[in-house]
Amino acid sequence: MEKPNPFEVALRQLDECARILKLDPSVHAMLRLPMREFHVSLPVRMDNGEMRVFQGFRVQYNDARGPTKGGIRFHPDETIDTVRALAAWMTWKCAVMEIPLGGAKGGVICNPKELSTGELERLSRIYIDRIWRYIGPEADVPAPDVYTTPQIMAWMMDEYSKRCGSNQFGVITGKPLAVGGSAGRDEATGRGGLYVIRRAANDLRLDLRRATVAVQGFGNAGFALANLIRGSHGSRVVAISDSKGGIYNEYGLEPWAVAEHKAATGSVVEFPNSRPVSNEDLLELNVDILVVAALENVITEDNAPRIRAKIVAELANGPTTPEADAVLYRNGMVVLPDILCNAGGVTVSYFEMVQNAYMYYWDESAVQQRLDKKMTEAYLSVLDAARKYSVNMRQAAYAVAVERVVEAMKTRGWV
Ligand code: NAD
């Protein structure tokens, strides 16, 4: 079945929220369109001497609450509509978290796995060359996303700093610690997700020490969550997958050992003492917590009726289609929506911006404490909205976010 267009999904979610909040039609119309977008061509000299032209995007969706913020994705299937959707979700995510930022996203159509380090560096630098006038600590601050890394962030920060003629650490987050990164940023998305799961489990009286977990997507976000939930709560992580396939062991997998195997072989598959499981079957396993941490549209109306987890934790952006959402809600599952569940990343990115501006750096425990407070407050405000409007957690998160963005727009006299 053809996957839905992510921007159409994002707009349907917004439309539903507009109905719940009885939003003024002109305000609704403003929120349906990105404020500004850039389409750039990126010529790169390849190692064999040939010139290859890549295509890139940056979408700045809404800056009513502050400078826009959002990652840059390097992916062969990148499309402008994916970037638009991700930029809209960033707008709502920052608002749910009550951090003073708007939403943006960037992307380049490329397969980083096929590029040498030198080619990747040249691509990263030319991308900044094309958009540097329109980004900056007070305008728009990029970060890592799928297949972009702290090293790529360092090259991009360096390129921007050269254009400006001075060090500009605050232009980008997710940087290595040596150049203004924040303690705790590498695991922030997973850790933030864990704080929200912990709250939801508590509300469901689910004991995390006995809980079983399946994790689809074993990159930055998926690995951190798997490792933390295993390490700090003793939960049993029975299945893990990546783009090449999945592994299963009913007695539990040690995420750090799986990560070592992936580092050595390029994938989680064929991890010792495990049996293979496909990415599709992993979603339908009989586990307490299903963590989706790869890409969009993996839970659809097709497979939603067969999903059995009590909690679906969306570390990925846009993993569930609106039709699937309705099925999961009807079946009594608690879906922790992306704009809440994976917001730990942007929250610690925001902390990184604050530290860059102050030139004073916090230790890891200070970052964790502040993240816990932010995630908990956001979870509680979403829960309150779910009760107030009698809606599911995604609709509630949207209601909280859109109300805050609209309040800023009204206060500024935009609407
Ligand atoms: P990553 O590049 O570090 O890892 C992506 C993982 O997904 C890899 O293990 C890859 O093998 C796997 N994958 C790719 N295609 C897959 C497929 N078809 N089926 C199963 N697995 C597949 O990326 P990441 O930063 O961990 O991001 C993952 C998701 O989390 C994305 O949706 C991203 O937007 C979202 N997210 C990430 C952050 C962050 O701080 N890294 C923050 C918020 C949201």
Side-chain angles (χ1 to χ4, degrees):
M1 207 179 78
E2 202 178 315
K3 297 275 184 190
N5 174 324
F7 191 47
E8 280 168 19
V9 170
L11 290 181
R12 282 175 60 191
Q13 291 165 342
L14 174 67
D15 294 347
E16 196 174 34
C17 175
R19 188 183 47 75
I20 292 165
L21 295 179
K22 300 187 177 57
L23 213 57
D24 182 312
S26 58
V27 177
H28 182 192
M30 269 184 86
L31 294 176
R32 289 185 105 255
L33 280 175
M35 170 181 84
R36 190 182 294 124
E37 60 184 50
F38 304 95
H39 296 233
V40 291
S41 68
L42 307 167
V44 174
R45 177 82 58 202
M46 306 302 280
D47 291 348
N48 64 6
E50 272 173 26
M51 206 68 173
R52 204 170 134 195
V53 185
F54 295 87
Q55 198 182 353
F57 314 104
R58 183 79 187 161
V59 174
Q60 298 169 345
Y61 201 86
N62 182 299
D63 67 352
R65 290 173 44 84
T68 52
K69 182 93 192 76
I72 298 167
R73 184 178 285 193
F74 283 3
H75 199 276
D77 302 332
E78 192 64 302
T79 66
I80 183 63
D81 274 343
T82 312
V83 183
R84 286 177 182 137
L86 290 162
W89 288 325
M90 283 305 297
T91 308
W92 316 134
K93 195 181 299 183
C94 292
V96 169
M97 295 310 296
E98 189 88 287
I99 54 183
L101 299 169
K105 204 80 185 189
V108 175
I109 306 173
C110 68
N111 187 351
K113 292 178 187 171
E114 290 170 0
L115 299 177
S116 70
T117 306
E119 290 165 345
L120 205 51
E121 175 173 356
R122 293 192 287 280
L123 179 62
S124 304
R125 288 187 185 275
I126 187 86
Y127 180 74
I128 292 301
D129 173 79
R130 291 296 194 256
I131 62 166
W132 76 276
R133 285 180 192 284
Y134 313 102
I135 62 171
E138 292 176 356
D140 179 19
V141 182
D145 194 77
V146 175
Y147 298 154
T148 49
T149 60
Q151 175 61 70
I152 292 176
M153 298 305 111
W155 290 325
M156 290 183 170
M157 178 279 290
D158 183 69
E159 191 64 25
Y160 181 82
S161 296
K162 282 182 187 158
R163 308 278 144 171
C164 295
S166 60
N167 271 334
Q168 295 285 334
F169 285 2
V171 68
I172 209 155
T173 60
K175 302 180 293 293
L177 286 176
V179 287
S182 174
R185 174 62 184 88
D186 51 349
E187 60 161 35
T189 304
R191 182 171 284 281
L194 176 64
Y195 290 149
V196 179
I197 291 172
R198 204 184 53 194
R199 290 270 154 186
N202 193 44
D203 291 348
L204 287 174
R205 310 230 179 293
L206 171 67
D207 183 354
L208 285 183
R209 287 170 305 181
R210 288 178 180 49
T212 51
V213 185
V215 182
Q216 185 193 59
F218 201 56
N220 175 300
F223 164 70
L225 178 75
N227 206 35
L228 286 167
I229 203 165
R230 171 76 192 139
S232 53
H233 295 280
S235 310
R236 194 152 36 102
V237 180
V238 295
I240 293 175
S241 71
D242 62 22
S243 59
K244 302 210 174 92
I247 52 172
Y248 177 84
N249 181 330
E250 63 178 310
Y251 301 108
L253 301 155
E254 286 303 339
W256 62 265
V258 178
E260 279 183 0
H261 174 80
K262 183 172 165 81
T265 65
S267 172
V268 302
V269 300
E270 292 181 4
F271 180 70
N273 298 324
S274 69
R275 68 172 171 80
V277 60
S278 70
N279 263 300
E280 293 73 30
D281 291 346
L282 178 143
L283 298 173
E284 299 171 18
L285 289 172
N286 189 10
V287 289
D288 296 310
I289 302 168
L290 171 63
V291 179
V292 276
L295 295 172
E296 305 81 37
N297 295 324
V298 292
I299 305 182
T300 64
E301 61 187 320
D302 275 358
N303 60 9
R306 295 191 297 278
I307 286 179
R308 292 183 276 175
K310 298 183 182 76
I311 296 175
V312 177
E314 295 186 341
L315 281 194
N317 285 303
T320 310
T321 67
E323 291 79 11
D325 240 352
V327 176
L328 297 180
Y329 188 48
R330 238 188 353 257
N331 290 348
M333 275 128 202
V334 174
V335 177
L336 297 171
D338 48 5
I339 59 173
L340 169 68
C341 191
N342 71 28
V346 70
T347 303
V348 176
S349 271
Y350 161 60
F351 294 164
E352 186 175 330
M353 289 171 70
V354 172
Q355 294 169 80
N356 291 152
Y358 273 83
M359 295 185 75
Y360 177 76
Y361 288 83
W362 311 340
D363 63 25
E364 198 158 343
S365 70
V367 171
Q368 288 173 8
Q369 260 173 25
R370 288 175 163 118
L371 177 63
D372 194 357
K373 182 165 181 292
K374 277 300 211 184
M375 297 303 304
T376 302
E377 284 167 359
Y379 175 80
L380 295 176
S381 63
V382 171
L383 204 58
D384 263 3
R387 291 186 181 132
K388 176 175 166 192
Y389 295 110
S390 306
V391 293
N392 68 32
M393 291 290 275
R394 185 183 322 279
Q395 292 163 325
Y398 260 79
V400 170
V402 171
E403 271 176 341
R404 287 178 182 163
V405 173
V406 170
E407 187 191 353
M409 286 164 62
K410 284 194 172 146
T411 310
R412 296 178 70 149
W414 292 2
V415 286

